[in-house]
Amino acid sequence: MDKRVAVVSGGGTGIGAATARAFAMDGYDVVIVGRRAEVLDATATRVDAECGRPGAVRSVTADLTDPDQVERVVAALDGRTVDVLVNNAGGYLGQQAETLAGAAAFWRSNFDANVLTAVLLTEA
């Protein structure tokens, strides 16, 4: 029987990395996704060593606000079924808006970072 598969967006640091580690320690194959390849690769290497299963964690570099880059995650799964999806990417993109156009741009960027990322990854 194949191992269960978990996908964790924002998996390179913080809560995402801790979540990926917990799944790997529980025997899952884990795909971590984020925008910074070096951070993702370091996390994958560290978690592999901690759980004693080389290759347990694979990293995919992708900006999840871009549908073409979300396809990289799908390709990395090699047709495997995802058992768990953790939409952890996002954050507060704080800025001071001087104009209504600035306020609209601020809210759109926060929406993209926190909602669109989850929608696109879930749909994929």
Side-chain angles (χ1 to χ4, degrees):
M1 184 173 158
D2 287 341
K3 293 200 180 297
R4 297 168 292 177
V5 176
V7 175
V8 181
S9 69
T13 62
I15 293 170
T19 302
R21 181 184 183 280
F23 280 116
M25 295 297 273
D26 198 30
Y28 282 75
D29 284 343
V30 181
V31 175
I32 56 175
V33 184
R35 292 177 296 162
R36 298 174 295 162
E38 308 81 30
V39 172
L40 291 169
D41 292 344
T43 298
T45 299
R46 185 187 79 245
V47 173
D48 280 356
E50 290 172 354
C51 74
R53 288 191 310 121
V57 180
R58 293 178 27 192
S59 65
V60 177
T61 305
D63 179 343
L64 297 178
T65 64
D66 180 344
D68 291 333
Q69 292 187 39
V70 174
E71 291 294 338
R72 292 181 197 163
V73 180
V74 175
L77 292 167
D78 296 324
R80 294 181 67 191
T81 299
V82 175
D83 297 290
V84 177
L85 172 60
V86 179
N87 282 304
N88 180 63
Y92 177 70
L93 308 175
Q95 68 184 36
Q96 187 69 12
E98 303 279 331
T99 64
L100 287 177
F106 163 74
W107 283 101
R108 281 190 188 104
S109 64
N110 273 284
F111 180 84
D112 286 355
N114 292 285
V115 178
L116 186 61
T117 55
V119 169
L120 292 178
L121 188 58
T122 301
E123 287 291 325

